[in-house]
Amino acid sequence: KQEVTQIPAALSVPEGENLVLNCSFTDSAIYNLQWFRQDPGKGLTSLLLIQSSQREQTSGRLNASLDKSSGRSTLYIAASQPGDSATYLCAVFTGGGNKLTFGTGTQLKVEL
Amino acid sequence: GAVVSQHPSWVICKSGTSVKIECRSLDFQATTMFWYRQFPKQSLMLMATSNEGSKATYEQGVEKDKFLINHASLTLSTLTVTSAHPEDSSFYICSARPVGTGSYNEQFFGPGTRLTVL
């Protein structure tokens, strides 16, 4: 059974700081990994999708890496802003179960 | 493109009543839609996979007679919570996978429906 863990569970940083969010998964037989953002009481916004054959994806100030063999992914946020405050979720798509398994989330707060 | 809507965005109902939630893909067709549930401060848990024209596949521990899923067209899936009770209060989110894309392709998520059962 696939299990996805995110560390840290919560993070508070001053504006402008670069930060790294971590995601680990137990079953490396994945098709892809996605990072999402969720604002309080809202749905999910897809940030980055990394296919299993890829090592990283970039979008603006966001960079996500994937090391499938070790079951790890990181989301790097450069020059953080208060508007980045949200919960960040990673999710892996496992072919065996044909479904997305979500991590526990990292609640990020960027302070002025 | 790839917009998914949900209706209603929030609903409050009395215990024992049934509630229907709609999930629509607005600008694409989807043979497969997914229903998730999210309790406060927790992550999303897949409840069931909805396939157009066939029965839904439910995850272990999810009662199919309580959570009725219908996927009657390529743009609409509905989730009906029957005889709702306070413990069913949660945030329900659907997602849709476009026709012609494989399992490795992206799912697009709706904005969620907040259900509160009194």
Side-chain angles (χ1 to χ4, degrees), chain B residues 58-115:
Chain B
Y58 290 82
E59 294 299 301
Q60 192 172 10
V62 178
E63 300 175 56
K64 62 180 180 180
D65 294 331
K66 181 169 184 62
F67 298 99
L68 301 179
I69 291 174
N70 184 278
H71 193 159
S73 78
L74 289 173
T75 59
L76 173 65
S77 176
T78 60
L79 168 68
T80 301
V81 184
T82 63
S83 187
H85 290 282
E87 57 266 30
D88 298 323
S89 298
S90 187
F91 194 52
Y92 292 86
I93 302 178
C94 73
S95 69
R97 180 189 296 143
V99 169
T101 62
S103 298
Y104 51 86
N105 285 102
E106 191 171 357
Q107 296 175 25
F108 298 95
F109 284 78
T113 296
R114 172 75 59 192
L115 170 63

Side-chain angles (χ1 to χ4, degrees), chain A residues 5-11 20-24 35 73 104-106:
Chain A
T5 305
Q6 291 184 245
I7 295 173
L11 181 64
V20 174
L21 307 182
N22 297 291
C23 172
S24 62
W35 282 94
S73 175
T104 47
T106 293

